[in-house]
Amino acid sequence: GASTWDCNGCVHVYPTEGAELPFVEGFETIEDLDDSGWHIMDDGPITWKLTGDAAHYGSNCIMLENFAIDNEEVHTLTYKPVDVTNMGGGETIYLTYWYSFAGTSGDNSDRFRVYMSTDCGENYSLKQQINTPGLPTAEESDLPFYPEQAGDWSFEVYEFEAGDISSSVSIQ
């Protein structure tokens, strides 16, 4: 049989040239994700949101209320393309980020993935994946989780490879 899929806002048109480096996002100055260069695509009713309830640095971060999400839902956050070609002279380019996660008791098959596109989002390749049991940064909880201390966060680094250099790198 045939299957269909309805999706509002699935097509995003970005400029042909990506934003220039350095690119730093702390979610401190954003008031609305829809107007910030970030694009959200979710399988379920729970979605990424800005919050002042937790932050590694500053007073804001972006979060997903994972506590209420069904297994196998995918929640994607994508940033508009960035031009990394101006990093000449052999400089190494890094993608770094902080994340915090606490599983619930029972079945935890959560994973955090970082994908990269070098063709303005037409194709993405997996660059990093953190699976359970290595994903949690805090103790399991049967209540909604908000990180409260520095030890509840993990710092991750991805070093760009030669094939990652493009004028339109997009990260999911």
Side-chain angles (χ1 to χ4, degrees):
S3 63
T4 61
W5 181 58
D6 292 327
C7 179
N8 293 325
C10 289
V11 176
H12 276 259
V13 178
Y14 293 114
T16 55
E17 291 296 317
E20 293 193 14
L21 293 177
F23 168 71
V24 177
E25 180 61 79
F27 300 103
E28 294 297 322
T29 59
I30 295 175
E31 294 180 20
D32 182 1
L33 281 174
D34 292 335
D35 296 327
S36 67
W38 292 97
H39 173 67
I40 298 169
M41 213 159 118
D42 294 303
D43 280 352
I46 307 296
T47 189
W48 292 95
K49 68 177 187 176
L50 289 168
T51 183
D53 292 335
H56 185 270
Y57 290 116
S59 58
N60 294 323
C61 73
I62 190 167
M63 70 171 288
L64 188 61
E65 291 181 338
N66 192 48
F67 183 78
I69 294 174
D70 292 331
N71 284 340
E72 303 306 319
E73 284 185 19
V74 176
H75 299 270
T76 305
L77 181 66
T78 306
Y79 192 71
K80 67 183 177 183
V82 175
D83 182 354
V84 299
T85 59
N86 62 353
M87 294 295 291
E91 292 181 65
T92 303
I93 303 171
Y94 298 97
L95 168 68
T96 63
Y97 58 93
W98 290 91
Y99 81 91
S100 186
F101 175 83
T104 57
S105 60
D107 181 28
N108 282 310
S109 59
D110 295 295
R111 57 194 168 269
F112 184 85
R113 294 177 175 164
V114 175
Y115 290 91
M116 183 183 294
S117 170
T118 57
D119 57 10
C120 204
E122 189 168 328
N123 299 288
Y124 282 88
S125 58
L126 180 65
K127 297 298 180 175
Q128 277 188 325
Q129 179 167 293
I130 307 168
N131 296 316
T132 304
L135 185 61
T137 60
E139 296 296 319
E140 286 184 350
S141 175
D142 287 327
L143 300 171
F145 168 70
Y146 293 89
E148 297 178 357
Q149 54 193 359
D152 290 341
W153 295 85
S154 179
F155 182 70
E156 299 296 324
V157 177
Y158 171 74
E159 183 176 329
F160 277 54
E161 300 168 355
D164 299 333
I165 308 304
S166 167
S167 63
S168 60
V169 172
S170 185
I171 304 290
Q172 288 186 332

